[in-house]
Amino acid sequence: MSINKILILFLTILLFQFQISKAEDSNNLDEEELPAIDPFAGGVGNTSQGSTESTSQSSQGSGLLNNMRLVGTILGENKKIAIFSSPDGGAFKYEENDSITASTMLIEVFNEVVIVRDDSSNEYEVYMNNIIKPSDG
C-alpha cells in the first residue's frame, strides 16, 4: 500500500507541474508585444461623409501634407510640436518653422489646429479631424 501512496503522490506532483507550466505559457501570450497600428489612420472604415467642400479640402490636403493627418499637438514653454500620422501608421513630429514636405512649412501650433504655409505663401489651417481650410490670417 505504501507503493500506491507514493505513486499517487508522484502523479499528483507531476499533474501540478503540468498545470503550472501551462499557466506560465498562457501568461506569456498576454505579455507579447502587439504591433502599433493607428486605428485613426485612413483605411476601409474611413469614409467621407460631408459636402463637396470637405472633399475638395481633403484632396487639397493630400497634396499639401502628402496624405498625413494631424494627430496631436504638444505645447511647452519653449517648444510647440505638431504630430502627424502617415497612412502607413508612422508618426512624425515637427516644430514650428520646420518643413513638413518639400513645399509645406509648419508656421504655428495651437491646441487643436496648426497653421501651415505652402510654397505659394498661402496659409492653411489643419485640424485634428483632417479638415484643411485656407487661413483667414
Side-chain angles (χ1 to χ4, degrees):
M1 242 203 215
S2 143
I3 294 177
N4 286 339
K5 288 182 183 180
I6 292 174
L7 185 60
I8 290 174
L9 180 63
F10 177 76
L11 289 175
T12 305
I13 291 172
L14 185 65
L15 180 66
F16 281 128
Q17 286 181 347
F18 177 75
Q19 290 295 331
I20 289 172
S21 67
K22 189 174 180 182
E24 287 175 358
D25 290 343
S26 66
N27 287 342
N28 288 340
L29 290 176
D30 294 338
E31 295 173 2
E32 284 185 18
E33 192 171 319
L34 298 175
I37 299 174
D38 184 8
F40 301 107
V44 177
N46 190 8
T47 58
S48 175
Q49 297 177 348
S51 65
T52 56
E53 179 182 335
S54 67
T55 306
S56 67
Q57 290 171 352
S58 296
S59 65
Q60 177 184 12
S62 65
L64 186 68
L65 298 173
N66 287 343
N67 291 322
M68 291 194 300
R69 296 181 57 161
L70 178 66
V71 294
T73 58
I74 301 171
L75 303 176
E77 284 185 35
N78 301 325
K79 291 184 182 181
K80 294 181 179 181
I81 298 173
I83 302 169
F84 289 88
S85 172
S86 64
D88 63 356
F92 303 94
K93 68 178 184 116
Y94 299 98
E95 295 180 23
E96 289 182 336
N97 299 319
D98 281 351
S99 292
I100 298 173
T101 65
S103 62
T104 307
M105 178 178 277
L106 180 63
I107 302 301
E108 289 186 73
V109 178
F110 299 104
N111 280 334
E112 296 184 22
V113 65
V114 297
I115 308 295
V116 297
R117 182 181 299 144
D118 65 4
D119 54 355
S120 302
S121 297
N122 297 323
E123 292 187 359
Y124 298 93
E125 297 174 0
V126 179
Y127 293 89
M128 297 256 191
N129 58 359
N130 207 26
I131 292 179
I132 299 173
K133 63 181 187 177
S135 178
D136 294 332

